[in-house]
Structure formats: structure tokens, C-alpha cells
Amino acid sequence: ETGVTQTPRHLVMGMTNKKSLKCEQHLGHNAMYWYKQSAKKPLELMFVYSLEERVENNSVPSRFSPECPNSSHLFLHLHTLQPEDSALYLCASSRNRAANTGELFFGEGSRLTVL
Amino acid sequence: AQSVTQLDSHVSVSEGTPVLLRCNYSSSYSPSLFWYVQHPNKGLQLLLKYTSAATLVKGINGFEAEFKKSETSFHLTKPSAHMSDAAEYFCVVWGSGTYKYIFGTGTRLKVLA
């Protein structure tokens, strides 16, 4: 138990659906992250939020829309996805974005399959 | 700029024999370095971290890593592999200039009975 909870753990959606992934951290951290992990590819950073402000968006397509309503919650809204978006989506948090002693704490991930 | 290279994509060892997973890094600043483990369909779990204190870092499950500045390496070792160690391992460097966690491409460890 890392203190970072992701729901749902598994999601199957059609290309025209709209769904959301949720992440909640109980660690009092100020920074939250979305990563995408695809088979045979390095871990890809998608978005970074620091104190609820988006500080990084790594050229992610607009069909992925993040939301951070407070420092404990992070959402990834999904719409009109493509089959190549099927992957494990990992949420992580850290104490502060700029802290060099702070490791990332990961959730268990949401396995997304786009049909 | 920071970067990290994991020198082996796959490593196989027999149960009870030593494990060595290699990681080299590049950093313009004094780096923070981490090793994470990921079991199938799970998130990443921190094994250990180096943040400019002792160069030999002990982690969970009997793993340790040694920071060698002269060799720009941070190799992960364990004296005796267990079947439960079979997983993917990621070496990570944190860049103080960029505030980015840079992940290696991972090493898949297989433990043979």
C-alpha cells in the first residue's frame, strides 16, 4: 500500500466513449503525475501538477484531458481514444516537485483497453 | 541534461545466485538516483534511493546499490536471488535543474528454479 489509489483498475472502452481515470493520494504531497506505460516502450510522462497547477504537458493529444481539483485528487478524462492508447496508466505523487530527496509514490495503475 | 542507461534489457539468474542489474547515469548536477521494481500489472515500488548521503544504499528485500561518481554508475545488487524477485526493474535519475524524473528503459529479471 503506497498511499496512492487508482480507480478503476481495469477499463475497456470503445473509441467513441468518454470515461475518466481517478487517482487519490493520502500522503499530503503537493505534486501529482500521470504516466503512460505501453508494452515495449519506456515510461512516458504525460502531465505534472504542482499545487493543483499544471506545470508540464508533454505533447499529449487533446483526447486526454487532466484535471486536478485539489492536491489530493487527479483525474484523466478520456474521449474518442484510439486503439494505440491502450496501455497501463500510472498515477504518482511526490512531496514537492522541486525536492531532490523526494521519491515518486505510484498507484497500482489503470489498465485501459480501447476497442 | 540528465539521462540514464540500463545496460541490460533482460537478466536471467538461478535462484540463490547473486543479482546484478546495471545502471549508468549522466547528470550535470549532483543527482538523486532511485531503483524501482514493478511486478506484472502492478505499479512501481521504490526499492532504494541515493540522495548524496552514504554511497552504499540499502533497500528493501535485501537489495542494495552503490553510487560510484567516478564511473557514473548506480548498479543494483542482491546476494541471493529469490523467485519472488522476478520482475522489471527501473533505474531513475532526478534532475535538479529540470525537476524531471528520468526513467531507464527497464531490466526484466528472470529467476530460474
Side-chain angles (χ1 to χ4, degrees):
Chain A
E1 179 60 52
T2 62
V4 180
T5 304
Q6 289 187 244
T7 54
R9 292 292 316 280
H10 300 273
L11 179 63
V12 179
M13 58 187 289
M15 293 169 61
T16 58
N17 291 157
K18 288 185 180 181
K19 296 284 185 184
S20 296
L21 306 181
K22 179 183 175 183
C23 177
E24 184 174 0
Q25 58 97 358
H26 309 277
L27 301 168
H29 289 170
N30 290 328
M32 295 188 78
Y33 309 73
W34 278 117
Y35 285 88
K36 177 183 178 183
Q37 188 176 37
S38 305
K40 302 190 188 307
K41 285 188 178 181
L43 207 63
E44 300 173 53
L45 177 64
M46 300 176 73
F47 301 104
V48 182
Y49 277 81
S50 178
L51 295 170
E52 300 146 47
E53 179 185 345
R54 191 190 310 179
V55 295
E56 197 154 341
N57 175 349
N58 279 347
S59 303
V60 179
S62 59
R63 57 186 184 269
F64 294 92
S65 174
E67 179 190 1
C68 188
N70 55 62
S71 59
S72 298
H73 293 86
L74 184 65
F75 294 88
L76 189 62
H77 303 300
L78 316 168
H79 62 98
T80 59
L81 294 191
Q82 305 297 312
E84 60 265 28
D85 297 323
S86 299
L88 184 68
Y89 288 85
L90 292 162
C91 174
S93 70
S94 67
R95 188 174 296 114
N96 290 296
R97 180 168 171 257
N100 69 341
T101 57
E103 66 267 34
L104 289 168
F105 291 76
F106 283 88
E108 299 256 287
S110 292
R111 171 71 62 185
L112 173 66
T113 303
V114 181
L115 301 175
Chain B
Q2 287 81 29
S3 67
V4 61
T5 302
Q6 292 185 242
L7 298 163
D8 306 291
S9 58
H10 292 82
V11 169
S12 290
V13 300
S14 296
E15 191 175 20
T17 63
V19 176
L20 170 64
L21 305 183
R22 299 182 294 166
C23 173
N24 285 1
Y25 71 92
S26 170
S27 178
S28 305
Y29 307 91
S30 181
S32 294
L33 293 157
F34 309 85
W35 274 101
Y36 283 84
V37 61
Q38 185 180 30
H39 289 91
N41 293 310
K42 295 284 190 179
L44 279 70
Q45 180 187 15
L46 180 72
L47 278 177
L48 49 80
K49 65 178 180 181
Y50 166 79
T51 55
S52 73
T55 56
L56 182 62
V57 182
K58 293 190 183 299
I60 62 171
N61 301 335
F63 284 95
E64 62 181 39
E66 186 170 8
F67 173 71
K68 291 188 176 180
K69 186 175 181 179
S70 61
E71 298 176 13
T72 61
S73 69
F74 190 57
H75 300 335
L76 182 70
T77 60
K78 182 173 180 178
S80 176
H82 191 272
M83 296 298 288
S84 60
D85 295 327
E88 187 142 25
Y89 292 79
F90 293 92
C91 183
V92 183
V93 62
W94 186 85
S96 59
T98 59
Y99 304 147
K100 284 181 187 282
Y101 293 89
I102 310 298
F103 282 77
T105 51
T107 298
R108 186 165 298 278
L109 176 65
K110 188 174 181 179
V111 181
L112 307 170

